[in-house]
Amino acid sequence: MNTTESAHGQPLLAARGLYKAYGSTPALRGASAQLRAGEIVAVTGPSGSGKSSLLHCMAGMVRPDHGQVMYGDEHLAHASEDRLSELRRTQFAVVFQFGQLIPELTAVDNVSLPLILGGTDRRTAHGQAHSWLERFGVLDRAEARPGELSGGQEQRVALARALVTGPRIVFADEPTGALDSLAGEQVMTELTAAARELGAAVLLVTHDATIAAYADREIRLTDGRTGALEVSA
Amino acid sequence: MSTRHILLGLLAMGPRHGYDLKHRHDERFPQARPLAFGQVYTTLQRLVRDGLAEVEETGSDGGPERTMYRSTDAGARELADWAGSVTPSAPFVANEIFAKVVVAILSGGDPAAYLAAQRASHMQRMRELTAVKSAKDADLTTVLSADYALTHLNADLRWMTTTADRLATLTAEVEST
């Protein structure tokens, strides 16, 4: 039940003292967080507390103004764009609230894309994409385009695309935000079960405590800051 | 909770011994307090007295005497009326969390620290309940009961979050004057 028990030692990903402002608006004002291998962590807090900014900085999508993000021994804040895009293709995966699939591609092509970009041949990529679509119960929608999918189906296809590369970390920003509560819970059940099976860590941003309860623990943000516990954790 | 109606509901599935009813109750309502045998038999006797249930047969199978009960038509009507009737919505909810915050404010305590600690405890319980209902072998009753508890804990959490925000705003206003 509790994967943190088996995940002591060095954190997989650690942010320390992050500051980030957009224009004159501060988003992060000294946020720290750690993610261990295979751990599912929820980042919660009121709207505007910096949850998404923390996720973006930790995923290497946004560079912080100050502070460190360490992925193992690697400084993400100083990594080259090439290295960051390689990480995003092979070791990190992202799931957003909506709008992450390419509208012109079918579900199976969307899921295959990260593999094909990584050099996998199309036939193998399609085979793996099909098995992930099956796992998430949307194999019958493989040839549908995103516009033809329900919200729940679209998120399942997005999960398949996130997990198809076997990432070490899944960054999920309000992945159930556009779904009704039952569909949201189903997506969370599937995401957490698949991540635990793969041994992937999940950093989950949510404003909803019932969604945060799928995680092993919670990081609480207030006004761009995390509690004292996170600094020393 | 109306034990009488729950027993009528269990009898709606067919005649049962008191012993069976107790076990079915505890199985169907795993989060509720288990029924005592004495309570089951007293309630059954009252149902019979009120014409809502009757004795189907009394047998012993060589062991102790066992009485089989079944619901009457009046019992079925009573059950349908109860199950379809609206439970009064509580006008106010008084509970210990609310009381502790009020007392902390009145006595110059630290309500924010209390709220943060209470939040951590609620989240821990919510994670446990989520694990229970996400288990592969969880049956429908378990899922529904966990959902019910989770929704109520979440309501507490939302109140606690709003209260913590209100306290922070009030404190900031007081300090700036």
Side-chain angles (χ1 to χ4, degrees), chain A residues 2 6 25 27 31-32 41 55 67 70 112 116 124 129 132 135 197 222:
Chain A
N2 188 348
S6 59
T25 311
S32 298
V41 174
L55 179 138
M70 299 296 293
S112 306
I116 292 171
T124 311
W132 277 101
R135 147 129 215 181
E197 248 171 67
T222 312

Side-chain angles (χ1 to χ4, degrees), chain A residues 39-117:
Chain A
E39 187 182 28
I40 301 181
V41 174
V43 178
T44 65
S47 51
S49 59
K51 303 188 290 290
S52 293
S53 297
L54 179 62
L55 179 138
H56 291 155
C57 287
M58 290 182 77
M61 293 154 74
V62 164
R63 287 184 201 273
D65 299 334
H66 300 285
Q68 278 186 342
V69 180
M70 299 296 293
Y71 176 53
D73 298 327
E74 196 174 348
H75 281 275
L76 284 196
H78 309 311
S80 68
E81 281 305 321
D82 282 353
R83 174 59 182 155
L84 289 174
S85 74
E86 184 194 350
L87 283 174
R88 286 196 292 267
R89 204 173 54 240
T90 57
Q91 302 186 36
F92 294 177
V94 290
V95 183
F96 297 120
Q97 188 168 343
F98 51 71
Q100 55 213 305
L101 300 175
I102 298 173
E104 291 79 11
L105 297 183
T106 61
V108 68
D109 283 333
N110 263 291
V111 178
S112 306
L113 194 61
L115 292 174
I116 292 171
L117 290 175

Side-chain angles (χ1 to χ4, degrees), chain A residues 142-210:
Chain A
E143 297 306 320
R145 289 189 167 72
E148 300 162 340
L149 300 172
S150 72
Q153 288 169 343
E154 188 174 340
Q155 281 313 75
R156 286 183 172 81
V157 174
L159 290 186
R161 189 176 70 173
L163 294 168
V164 73
T165 54
R168 295 183 74 192
I169 306 177
V170 178
F171 296 92
D173 191 355
E174 299 278 7
T176 63
L179 305 178
D180 63 55
S181 62
L182 183 56
E185 297 228 6
Q186 287 164 345
V187 162
M188 280 312 298
T189 305
E190 288 166 13
L191 168 60
T192 49
R196 289 190 201 285
E197 248 171 67
L198 283 176
V202 179
L203 191 70
L204 165 73
V205 162
T206 180
H207 69 281
D208 182 344
T210 57

Side-chain angles (χ1 to χ4, degrees), chain B residues 37-113:
Chain B
F37 284 111
Q39 191 184 0
V40 174
Y41 290 112
T42 314
T43 309
L44 284 169
Q45 280 158 15
R46 287 191 189 136
L47 288 173
V48 171
R49 180 197 68 197
D50 298 340
L52 302 175
E54 56 196 17
V55 173
E56 169 94 355
E57 61 176 23
T58 304
S60 69
D61 290 340
E65 188 175 276
R66 297 181 79 185
T67 306
M68 180 95 108
Y69 295 86
R70 70 182 183 87
S71 177
T72 61
D73 290 345
R77 281 195 300 276
E78 170 71 21
L79 179 65
D81 284 349
W82 176 76
S85 67
V86 172
T87 299
S89 309
F92 296 105
V93 179
N95 95 356
E96 196 169 328
I97 296 174
F98 172 73
K100 284 184 174 174
V101 170
V102 171
V103 167
I105 293 168
L106 294 177
S107 64
D110 189 349

Side-chain angles (χ1 to χ4, degrees), chain A residues 1 44 185 208-210 212-218 220, chain B residues 119 123 126-127 130-131 133-134 147 150 154 157 161 165:
Chain A
M1 217 55 78
T44 65
E185 297 228 6
D208 182 344
T210 57
Y214 282 85
D216 300 321
R217 64 182 175 93
E218 177 185 35
R220 187 103 182 117
Chain B
R119 178 193 167 82
M123 279 307 304
M126 288 178 75
R127 283 191 286 269
T130 301
K133 75 170 186 176
S134 304
D147 273 346
L150 278 162
N154 192 31
L157 265 187
T161 305
D165 289 349

